[in-house]
Amino acid sequence: MRSRRARTSLSLILFVLPAFALYLAFLAIPMIQGSYFSFTDWNGLNKTYGFVGISNFIEAIRDDTHFRTSILFTAKYVVVAVVLQNAVALLLALLIESRTRAKGFFRTIFFMPNMLSVIISTFMWVFVFSKVIPALSSYGALKFLNLSWLGDPTVSFWTIVIVSLWGGVGTLMLIYMAAIQGIPQHLKEAAIIDGAQPFHMLRYITLPLIVHALTICIFLTLNGSFKIYDLVYALTGGGPGRGTQVITMNILEEAYQGNLRFGYASAKAIILFLIIFVITMIQISVMKNREVEA
């Protein structure tokens, strides 16, 4: 009996070991090294470097206006993206689940953008915003489209939001659909017999019973929105100027694009990690309490 348990334990360890090794090599060890270098003036090339204490963190928070601006822009994007992506995904899930036919077709259509590479799909959208929409705006009825979609910081923000919605709601929609399908049918039937209207069904039946899906989707969108890079880089490059520069772009610019301040960039990365960690812990705590209440 013991030998059988030992073999089972060994097989489980062997299955987990490759993933654990990859986690150590690409996440845990770099995180520890980055935490150490954040207290140094290392430039990423020299073998020698000096210990500077918390001066990198002080400079980033107190003196680096570009970093503060990128934090504010990212925070604005996170709020808008989290609300809109989850709202649109939930709405699509409710609409598709309310249909009796062609559910598979609509699931496929709305999930298809997730099957494309972010860079490839974003370059497609660059063509749309720089060529297609200006051509359409030449028609009288569509002159309201005559905007600087990629050249005006205010408009570019909403351009980024539109593209992120197009590519981000598919996965969330499937999660919400799975949660909606898990609601016991007898609860819906009882509510309908009692005369519940669609709004009351949504408020008192659907939403309370899919809080666990809301927790997962908000967690995913929070993390993804804070760490967004490739979409913004391919769409606007952080411009015009630094008008759409997110935190991740600011960090990589500090490390690679001429500055070569790897220690300072590591300090910024740690600040970003702490921001994400604190906000996600608060979000999970609040949502878990809602799950218990539901």
Side-chain angles (χ1 to χ4, degrees), residues 92 96 102-116 165-167 169-171 173-174 177:
L92 288 174
I96 294 173
K103 288 185 181 180
F105 171 76
F106 286 106
R107 277 199 300 262
T108 303
I109 290 296
F110 288 112
F111 186 73
M112 280 181 66
N114 294 78
M115 301 171 64
L116 299 175
L165 278 174
W166 179 81
V169 299
T171 301
M173 179 195 70
L174 292 182
M177 288 180 69

Side-chain angles (χ1 to χ4, degrees), residues 222-277:
L222 269 175
N223 278 269
S225 299
F226 268 114
K227 295 185 291 186
I228 188 174
Y229 175 80
D230 45 4
L231 187 149
V232 179
Y233 180 79
L235 199 61
T236 66
R242 295 174 182 266
T244 58
Q245 188 181 71
V246 289
I247 302 177
T248 50
M249 295 184 69
N250 183 272
I251 293 171
L252 290 175
E253 178 186 70
E254 203 67 59
Y256 294 103
Q257 298 178 8
N259 294 340
L260 292 180
R261 298 184 66 189
F262 273 74
Y264 185 47
S266 297
K268 289 183 175 182
I270 296 300
I271 293 173
L272 174 59
F273 167 77
L274 292 175
I275 292 173
I276 296 174
F277 178 79

Side-chain angles (χ1 to χ4, degrees), residues 100-161:
T100 57
R101 296 180 180 180
K103 288 185 181 180
F105 171 76
F106 286 106
R107 277 199 300 262
T108 303
I109 290 296
F110 288 112
F111 186 73
M112 280 181 66
N114 294 78
M115 301 171 64
L116 299 175
S117 164
V118 174
I119 295 296
I120 293 174
S121 60
T122 305
F123 282 146
M124 179 188 71
W125 277 103
V126 170
F127 176 77
V128 170
F129 284 115
S130 61
K131 301 294 183 180
V132 177
I133 292 181
L136 291 175
S137 65
S138 62
Y139 296 96
L142 299 174
K143 282 192 178 295
F144 67 93
L145 295 174
N146 188 20
L147 300 171
S148 181
W149 293 94
L150 302 176
D152 185 316
T154 303
V155 181
S156 296
F157 169 79
W158 291 106
T159 302
I160 294 169
V161 171

Side-chain angles (χ1 to χ4, degrees), residues 274-291:
L274 292 175
I275 292 173
I276 296 174
F277 178 79
V278 170
I279 291 177
T280 52
M281 287 299 101
I282 293 173
Q283 178 257 322
I284 291 173
S285 176
V286 172
M287 296 301 291
K288 286 296 181 183
N289 290 335
R290 292 289 181 89
E291 288 183 34

